[in-house]
Amino acid sequence: MASRVKPPGREAAPAKPALRSSEAALPATFVPNAAEAAQRKLRTLEAILASKNDNDSRLDTDFNHLSREAKALFRKQYLAIPPEMRNDRGTIVYILGKPGNLTAPEDWAFLKGVAEEPPCLSLEDCSRPMNASVDREEPGLEVTLAYPQLVALKQMERVLTGPRAGGSSPETLEEARAVVEAGASSPSPQVARLARRILQILSK
């Protein structure tokens, strides 16, 4: 990287004009570039996933209104994570399913795609049934296997039946319902059961 020190023998550069008050007030962490800001959000996400701390407060404070660029990076990160890492994938679904992040067709398409994913058959290899020696009745195992899909449905339940549901646009409610209906057709009993319960609540 080139040095910022003025080379000897050159005239001094003219003094920079004083900052306007609005510029002087910008915090030291201000990032004007959308792509760079999105990368910062991604690095925060990666740190949280690496920590394995599901109770990290940043999950509820740092990702509420992500930019288009950040959401695209998060979707790419989701696809890059091995399917067997159910918790990591579910965490990304939780973030992208926040009401403040559901602002574009690709946001809904992503969640619908998650709901339509084939069931994960084993934490060792989602594409293969688990070894017969593994007890499928292990507490929480079925929920873990379906975790990303269940998170997507729970986020849609918040949109459809939560305190702010009455203020949502018809388009938002329609998109959220489409995600739930996709889950209702899932081969996963856990996913289909939750989706049908949400649809039953909506029909009352």
Side-chain angles (χ1 to χ4, degrees):
M1 184 174 180
S3 171
R4 296 174 65 92
V5 178
K6 182 177 71 68
R10 293 188 182 180
E11 294 181 0
K16 293 182 180 180
L19 292 175
R20 296 190 298 270
S21 58
S22 60
E23 293 174 330
L26 291 174
T29 55
F30 175 72
V31 180
N33 184 282
E36 190 175 340
Q39 286 289 343
R40 283 196 171 194
K41 291 292 185 182
L42 179 61
R43 288 195 292 271
T44 300
L45 170 67
E46 291 172 338
I48 292 173
L49 296 180
S51 74
K52 305 296 182 184
N53 180 12
D54 295 336
N55 296 316
D56 194 307
S57 62
R58 290 174 293 179
L59 290 172
D60 294 319
T61 60
D62 285 23
F63 307 110
N64 291 330
H65 297 280
L66 294 174
S67 67
R68 180 189 62 185
E69 292 83 2
K71 288 186 289 185
L73 286 179
F74 280 34
R75 290 192 293 269
K76 184 176 180 179
Q77 182 77 356
Y78 178 89
L79 296 175
I81 293 174
E84 293 76 20
M85 299 181 70
R86 308 307 283 167
N87 191 70
D88 286 10
R89 281 193 159 207
T91 298
I92 295 177
V93 173
Y94 169 77
I95 291 171
L96 294 178
K98 287 171 172 279
N101 292 330
L102 299 171
T103 58
E106 57 266 26
D107 302 328
W108 298 106
F110 169 76
L111 292 176
K112 189 169 183 288
V114 171
E116 292 174 337
E117 287 179 3
C120 179
L121 303 179
S122 168
L123 294 179
E124 287 71 37
D125 185 342
C126 277
S127 65
R128 297 182 180 181
M130 65 182 63
N131 191 297
S133 63
V134 178
D135 185 4
R136 279 197 83 92
E137 298 303 319
E138 178 184 339
L141 178 58
E142 295 292 344
V143 170
T144 300
L145 289 171
Y147 188 61
Q149 289 71 44
L150 296 177
V151 172
L153 293 178
K154 292 299 291 185
Q155 291 296 70
M156 294 304 93
E157 184 177 18
R158 290 178 61 193
V159 173
L160 291 164
T161 67
R164 299 182 181 180
S168 299
S169 69
E171 293 79 11
T172 293
L173 298 177
E174 181 179 351
E175 294 279 17
R177 187 183 183 101
V179 175
V180 177
E181 290 174 345
S185 301
S186 173
S188 167
Q190 292 277 345
V191 176
R193 188 181 304 119
L194 175 57
R196 288 195 296 266
R197 182 181 68 78
I198 296 172
L199 292 174
Q200 187 176 20
I201 293 173
L202 295 176
S203 67
K204 291 181 180 179

